[in-house]
Amino acid sequence: MNAPSRTLNFITPLAGLMLAVATALVLFYAPREAVMGEVQRVFYFHVAAGWVGMLSFLVAAVAGGMYLARPRARLDEVAVSSVEIGVVFTLINIVSGAIWARPAWNTWWTWDPRLVTAAVMELIYFAYLMLRSGIDDPERRARLGAVYTIVGFLSVPLTFFSIRFFRTLHPVVIGVSDPAAVGGFDMTPRMLQVFLFSLLTFSLIYISLLWHRVRLERLTRKVEEAKQQRMAGGAA
Amino acid sequence: MTAFWQTADTAGYLVLGMAAIFGLMTLYVLRLRSRSRALRKELEELQRTSAQKK
């Protein structure tokens, strides 16, 4: 397998460094929120993880659409890699949200529209990974996967807009929250700076992880091909 | 609850939240690394055996 490109060798440590800086900013630079106290600092990475989750599913849907228009193995590799990363980051978003909810809402979990739509979105993409592992034919797997990423993407805007359309406990970060929302706050300029830096950091982590994961997918394909060649050689 | 204990309580949840975020990210990176190492080893093995046959 080819060695990682110079860009990847640059992006990966940069993403690590930015994560360290973002953590320091979250803990020491961002002001303490008056009502919720220290736990509100989870917000910066909680939202950034949610952003990466949704971005991953968008990239997968775009790659899926492009695959249907013009089948290329590379596009399928991008789609499956992006979905896997999206599932991990959505899980981070849900778990960190539950930990924040305990002191803010006095419960780890509630059947709120945002929480339910996020959990359904996570399950939809988890099912995508399970479905793929059950199909042996690579072309059929890629075609079905492409259709799934496009249809499954419907869950992403539904999750994003759930706090704007339905009556909910979950506050809106940018815009007007529902009057019933609990745990909302107005961002000070310092909070906004840390929030934007966290979003940038997590976006860079996503790019780096996607690149590494696509390389892994290509390696998997190479192993499969080598196995098939060996089997064909053995049969002859 | 005194102000001190209130701060300690919310700080505890912050530590838990950060541990979950970094823990899950680290687990995923480690899983990617171990998968990559195993696949590379398997590919080398396959290439070695096919070269021996030739």
Side-chain angles (χ1 to χ4, degrees):
Chain A
M1 194 175 158
N2 296 335
S5 73
R6 267 190 202 173
T7 318
L8 185 58
N9 278 337
F10 174 71
I11 285 178
T12 308
L14 179 67
L17 182 71
M18 281 179 71
L19 183 62
V21 173
T23 309
L25 290 177
V26 165
L27 296 177
F28 306 114
Y29 180 75
R32 184 173 178 273
E33 206 272 329
V35 180
M36 286 177 282
E38 300 296 339
V39 73
Q40 180 273 339
R41 295 180 197 275
V42 168
F43 153 81
Y44 302 101
F45 289 174
H46 165 72
V47 177
W51 150 250
V52 168
M54 290 185 180
L55 176 69
S56 306
F57 300 144
L58 173 67
V59 168
V62 171
M66 285 168 74
Y67 181 89
L68 291 180
R70 217 172 157 195
R72 293 274 180 282
R74 168 70 70 93
L75 293 168
D76 182 50
E77 287 164 6
V78 170
V80 67
S81 304
S82 197
V83 166
E84 194 182 280
I85 296 165
V87 165
V88 171
F89 277 83
T90 304
L91 181 67
I92 290 173
N93 174 255
I94 292 172
V95 171
S96 59
I99 293 167
W100 185 10
R102 182 67 182 85
W105 295 346
N106 205 27
T107 180
W108 298 99
W109 182 266
T110 178
W111 297 103
D112 179 83
R114 166 49 75 86
L115 277 66
V116 172
T117 49
V120 168
M121 180 177 76
E122 175 79 340
L123 291 174
I124 285 173
Y125 284 99
F126 189 68
Y128 164 86
L129 295 174
M130 289 178 73
L131 180 78
R132 280 186 69 98
S133 63
I135 303 171
D136 288 332
D137 179 17
E139 269 180 40
R140 196 164 160 257
R141 185 170 58 205
R143 209 170 49 246
L144 202 69
V147 174
Y148 196 113
T149 52
I150 295 165
V151 177
F153 185 72
L154 288 174
S155 64
V156 176
L158 185 69
T159 304
F160 183 79
F161 289 110
S162 60
I163 49 176
R164 289 162 176 87
F165 290 162
F166 304 113
R167 194 171 166 75
T168 171
L169 267 176
H170 196 288
V172 175
V173 177
I174 297 160
V176 183
S177 290
D178 189 292
V182 179
F185 56 91
D186 291 324
M187 264 198 273
T188 64
R190 270 191 171 199
M191 282 178 167
L192 188 63
Q193 288 162 13
V194 178
F195 174 57
L196 293 176
F197 189 79
S198 299
L199 285 185
L200 183 69
T201 301
F202 271 62
S203 303
L204 199 68
I205 291 172
Y206 166 68
I207 292 169
S208 170
L209 280 177
L210 181 65
W211 202 322
H212 283 289
R213 183 60 185 79
V214 167
R215 283 169 52 82
L216 185 68
E217 194 62 24
R218 210 164 306 150
L219 186 60
T220 310
R221 209 167 284 244
K222 272 188 181 175
V223 170
E224 276 177 16
E225 282 169 8
K227 275 184 186 170
Q228 279 171 358
Q229 275 177 3
R230 195 173 73 165
M231 279 168 70
Chain B
M1 204 190 275
T2 63
F4 171 78
W5 286 113
Q6 204 160 10
T7 304
D9 185 49
T10 62
Y13 283 108
L14 172 66
V15 171
L16 191 62
M18 286 298 193
I21 292 165
F22 282 98
L24 285 169
M25 274 203 279
T26 308
L27 276 179
Y28 182 60
V29 170
L30 290 177
R31 170 126 178 84
L32 283 186
R33 281 176 68 115
S34 77
R35 270 162 78 185
S36 169
R37 212 171 298 148
L39 281 169
R40 222 170 278 165
K41 210 173 165 186
E42 197 177 350
L43 187 63
E44 271 175 25
E45 189 81 12
L46 285 165
Q47 284 169 343
R48 199 166 50 81
T49 50
S50 72
Q52 276 174 351
K53 275 186 184 173
K54 283 175 189 172

